Amino acid sequence: MAKFAFQRLEVYGVAKAIAQLTIDNRRRWADLPGELAERLSRAALATVAEIAAGSAHASRAEQRRHYQTARASANEVMSCVEVAQLHGAVPADLQEALATQLARVDAMLAGMVKRRNS
């Protein structure tokens, strides 16, 4: 099976794993106020989709823009997880797993953005 360029990126794999964790645990935040579940889902999807979109551009400026958007979305996911945790909906092990993986995505994307500024 042919692979798209984004499928070979480590950051995409980690972001996809985060999306899977949020899907697997969607019942935990389904009833939280403020449309938190929808926002968390949308931000996780945006993280994955923006990484894929960025990898398809030849222009460094366009790549940078997509990777910056993906980074912002990853930060949004983490903020949603923290709000869900305030409601008591996120066990410590899940919070730690998401925080660790999101920090990896954030760091990788920050590096990718920086390299496209040069």
Side-chain angles (χ1 to χ4, degrees):
M1 183 169 109
K3 281 199 168 195
F4 288 87
F6 69 84
Q7 291 172 313
R8 292 188 291 268
L9 294 173
E10 180 182 0
V11 69
Y12 178 80
V14 178
K16 186 176 166 187
I18 292 165
Q20 187 65 61
L21 269 175
T22 65
I23 291 165
D24 292 347
N25 289 280
R26 65 181 166 258
R27 286 185 182 87
R28 293 187 183 281
W29 26 79
D31 296 326
L32 296 179
E35 299 177 1
L36 188 127
E38 181 182 329
R39 187 160 191 165
L40 176 61
S41 175
R42 191 172 50 246
L45 169 62
T47 303
V48 172
E50 292 293 338
I51 292 167
S55 74
H57 284 281
S59 160
R60 292 169 72 89
E62 279 301 305
Q63 288 176 345
R64 183 176 58 247
R65 185 179 66 78
H66 283 284
Y67 296 151
Q68 285 171 325
T69 302
R71 188 173 180 214
S73 294
N75 278 265
E76 184 177 358
V77 171
M78 190 63 226
S79 71
C80 289
V81 169
E82 287 189 345
V83 171
Q85 188 178 25
L86 292 174
H87 286 279
V90 184
D93 60 334
L94 177 58
Q95 193 278 339
E96 179 63 28
L98 286 166
T100 299
Q101 296 297 72
L102 285 160
R104 282 184 67 203
V105 167
D106 185 62
M108 285 188 276
L109 287 169
M112 292 167 79
V113 167
K114 186 176 180 180
R115 283 190 298 277
R116 276 144 189 90
N117 277 334
S118 314

